[in-house]
Amino acid sequence: MASLNVGNLGEYLREQRRNAQLSLRQLADAAGVSNPYLSQIERGLRKPSAEVLQQVAKALRISAETLYVRAGILDAERDRDEVETRAVILADPSLNERQKQVLLQIYESFRKENGFGGEGPVRPEESEGTEAQPSDTPVGGTRTDDGSDAGPRRTAG
């Protein structure tokens, strides 16, 4: 049986809980788990199930995938950068929820444009009217053969 680094998970959960300015009891109530059980997870004494991690992630408003990776449930090698980027965006206290969702949509659109798949479809209610459509020609200018901007056209006069 593979040994999991649940201590690292516990430290991460404690950090996220403190960033969210929640007490252990408040997070336990929000996640629907007991206060002693959550305390044991944070101290690295218990290995939580995927379901418990999902409840805790939802209560903390962070990515469940990040917790799965930290708990050793998901393979971290494949999409580590994407998971970490999403987690950082979702954990940023200076952004509101709408800003976080828009930023994640932009990030996902760039990944798709560059040939990388996403973690899942964007929910329709999150994407209405938020995607910027790239233009083939910059406003007031043209593109050169290599795709760079040639700048605005000047007229003689």
Side-chain angles (χ1 to χ4, degrees), residues 6 18 34 46 48 68-69 98 146:
V6 292
R18 289 179 178 161
S34 74
R46 292 281 183 167
Y68 296 159
V69 168
R98 180 72 179 139
D146 68 355

Side-chain angles (χ1 to χ4, degrees), residues 127-152:
S127 63
E128 287 184 17
T130 59
E131 288 188 40
Q133 297 298 321
S135 171
D136 290 334
T137 305
V139 176
T142 59
R143 292 213 189 263
T144 61
D145 289 340
D146 68 355
S148 62
D149 288 349

Side-chain angles (χ1 to χ4, degrees), residues 10-87:
E11 292 168 15
Y12 180 76
L13 281 176
R14 181 178 291 124
E15 179 183 329
Q16 293 304 309
R17 177 176 58 79
R18 289 179 178 161
N19 286 343
Q21 299 178 351
L22 293 172
S23 70
L24 190 65
R25 187 172 307 280
Q26 289 171 321
L27 179 56
D29 288 343
V33 298
S34 74
N35 190 38
Y37 182 62
L38 185 57
S39 174
Q40 290 173 346
I41 294 171
E42 280 194 1
R43 290 181 288 143
L45 302 175
R46 292 281 183 167
K47 179 181 123 183
S49 67
E51 292 80 17
V52 168
L53 289 175
Q54 185 176 26
Q55 291 170 257
V56 171
K58 185 176 180 181
L60 287 171
R61 299 182 141 208
I62 62 174
S63 164
E65 288 84 5
T66 302
L67 296 184
Y68 296 159
V69 168
R70 291 196 178 257
I73 295 171
L74 282 181
D75 181 14
E77 297 302 316
R78 197 176 124 238
D79 291 320
R80 177 179 292 160
D81 290 340
E82 180 186 6
V83 169
E84 288 177 358
T85 301
R86 288 174 178 273

